[in-house]
Amino acid sequence: MSARTIELSAGYTISRVIRGGWQLAGGHGDIDRGQAITDLIAAFDAGIKTYDCADIYTGVEELIGAARGRLADERGGEVAATMKVHTKLVPDLEKLGNISRDYIRGIVEQSLRRLRTDRVDLVQFHWWDYSHGGYLDVMGWLNEMRQEGLVRNVGTTNFDTPHVAEILRAGIPLVSQQLQYSVLDQRPANHLSALAGENGVSFLCYGSVAGGFLSNKWLGVAEPEMPLENRSLVKYKLIIDDFGGWDLFQALLGTLSVIGDRYGVDIATIASAWVLQQPQVAAVIVGARNQAHALANAKIMDITLSDDDNRQIASIISESRGPLGDVYTLERDRTGRHGSIMHYNLNAGKV
């Protein structure tokens, strides 16, 4: 097994960098469909052969399906089959009280049509509110679809440690959890990593560059004033505040920059490479706005940080204050700083 790939489940191998699809959703500006498909294939050619999308990312499943279709037309079905696609299943908050098997099956079948496939490689399930107990039912229905062959693997998104443990106790063959993980946010290591290690659950990590904050663009820049230009930046600025504030963040950027210079890469690449080396991490999910970004992101898989690199980064992290707690706990508090900016009914087009 090369450093660029990892076996997520028996016989199922993914690239260790996953091409994220959220930036291609309709809410992020006008999308040139033809160019987007070309850029998706450029990521494939750079070695990023796994793609992440969601039922709530408007138009993205269709774009990835079209990219796989173009690969099949131009290079044959065997090549297209090496493109792995993961989607997320995110029932709206207002639906949780009366969730049904037919509703969940309908979302999966919709994803199959959009992706132009007869089997989804991985369905990653997210649940907004644990006070509604239907999440175990949903995992059971997804497992039924796995047994039918409509779904190859099942995973979760943003579940905390007690609820992942509950799902595992129910006998669901969970292969992965998608979660936020970065040098600014090590909440997965607080509790979940140990449970995941004991049960063979891998992490697929978003937020490794904190919405772009972990980049050369922000090195030496004065602290921005709220409100920031988009919700993603607001979200990660709150993480920076929890980490220890702007001065400590600048110290971290400076350290990552020095390390990056040794490898001839930028801050973002080093930040993602650090995440990729943490226990239970199988892959990082990154966005790429064009083909040049895809080539840069592929370099993440080729960097192995030295013990000295890791000691320098750990020295900064040791001064941080947080964020504290379990995975996604802050974001689940709908009255708190983090939770109040979330959108909970994206299928329905509501906040």
Side-chain angles (χ1 to χ4, degrees):
M1 192 70 67
S2 76
R4 287 187 154 222
T5 61
I6 191 169
E7 192 172 65
L8 193 65
S9 64
Y12 180 68
T13 299
I14 63 170
S15 56
R16 298 207 69 198
V17 170
I18 296 173
R19 170 63 161 89
W22 70 274
Q23 289 180 322
L24 295 174
H28 296 276
D30 294 334
I31 300 297
D32 181 327
R33 180 180 174 83
Q35 187 60 49
I37 293 169
T38 296
D39 291 344
L40 287 169
I41 293 174
F44 179 87
D45 289 335
I48 303 173
K49 298 181 183 294
T50 307
Y51 296 75
D52 180 77
C53 53
D55 62 307
I56 58 172
Y57 294 172
T58 305
V60 178
E61 288 180 323
E62 291 93 336
L63 284 172
I64 293 174
R68 188 151 53 180
R70 184 188 290 182
L71 273 179
D73 292 342
E74 296 177 354
R75 308 183 196 179
E78 288 187 6
V79 173
T82 64
M83 176 186 281
K84 310 298 174 54
V85 181
H86 303 169
T87 197
K88 290 184 287 297
L89 189 153
V90 188
D92 288 344
L93 175 63
E94 64 182 21
K95 295 281 189 180
L96 302 190
N98 58 356
I99 208 85
S100 69
R101 176 187 274 106
D102 287 345
Y103 173 75
I104 295 300
R105 190 179 187 92
I107 294 177
V108 172
E109 290 177 344
Q110 173 181 261
S111 293
L112 289 169
R113 290 192 298 272
R114 290 171 171 175
L115 293 168
R116 306 185 191 182
T117 186
D118 56 6
R119 181 172 66 170
V120 181
D121 291 316
L122 171 65
V123 173
Q124 304 162 104
F125 170 53
H126 176 86
W127 190 257
W128 289 113
D129 188 345
Y130 296 137
S131 69
H132 296 285
Y135 53 88
L136 279 180
D137 291 331
V138 175
M139 292 304 303
W141 300 330
L142 288 175
N143 193 39
E144 289 174 2
M145 284 182 269
R146 183 190 66 81
Q147 292 166 334
E148 284 181 53
L150 297 178
V151 172
R152 181 167 187 164
N153 298 289
V154 294
T156 49
T157 301
N158 295 326
F159 275 71
D160 62 17
T161 306
H163 291 88
V164 170
E166 186 180 10
I167 291 167
L168 291 167
R169 285 196 301 271
I172 306 297
L174 205 62
V175 303
S176 65
Q177 154 110 310
Q178 185 174 142
L179 41 67
Q180 185 169 296
Y181 207 160
S182 73
V183 289
L184 294 167
D185 181 4
Q186 298 102 50
R187 283 178 291 172
N190 291 347
H191 306 286
L192 187 58
S193 185
L195 176 71
E198 293 165 1
N199 291 275
V201 177
S202 297
F203 295 158
L204 307 177
C205 306
Y206 66 87
S208 63
V209 297
F213 271 118
L214 287 166
S215 68
N216 292 74
K217 172 184 176 180
W218 289 98
L219 178 61
V221 174
E223 183 171 6
E225 295 183 2
M226 292 287 195
L228 298 173
E229 62 186 86
N230 60 58
R231 190 166 53 92
S232 177
L233 288 177
V234 173
K235 167 186 171 178
Y236 289 109
K237 177 56 167 61
L238 294 175
I239 295 293
I240 290 170
D241 294 343
D242 290 347
F243 180 74
W246 198 253
D247 288 345
L248 187 60
F249 171 63
Q250 285 296 316
L252 176 63
L253 288 183
T255 296
L256 296 176
S257 178
V258 169
I259 295 171
D261 288 344
R262 291 202 282 267
Y263 295 89
V265 298
D266 61 9
I267 287 171
T269 301
I270 296 300
S272 293
W274 181 89
V275 174
L276 205 55
Q277 292 181 209
Q278 302 312 301
Q280 299 309 120
V281 172
V284 292
I285 303 166
V286 298
R289 288 185 293 277
N290 52 47
Q291 296 178 46
H293 284 161
L295 290 170
N297 289 337
K299 293 180 181 178
I300 296 166
M301 296 182 281
D302 298 326
I303 291 174
T304 301
L305 298 176
S306 69
D307 290 344
D308 187 51
D309 297 332
N310 284 313
R311 277 193 294 269
Q312 290 182 52
I313 295 170
S315 177
I316 301 293
I317 291 174
S318 69
E319 299 180 41
S320 71
R321 301 192 298 258
L324 303 175
D326 209 334
V327 169
Y328 214 68
T329 299
L330 294 170
E331 292 83 354
R332 285 187 185 279
D333 178 4
R334 296 199 291 275
T335 64
R337 294 162 56 246
H338 297 265
S340 63
I341 65 169
M342 303 299 293
H343 289 177
Y344 297 95
N345 296 292
L346 290 167
N347 282 302
K350 304 173 184 177
V351 295

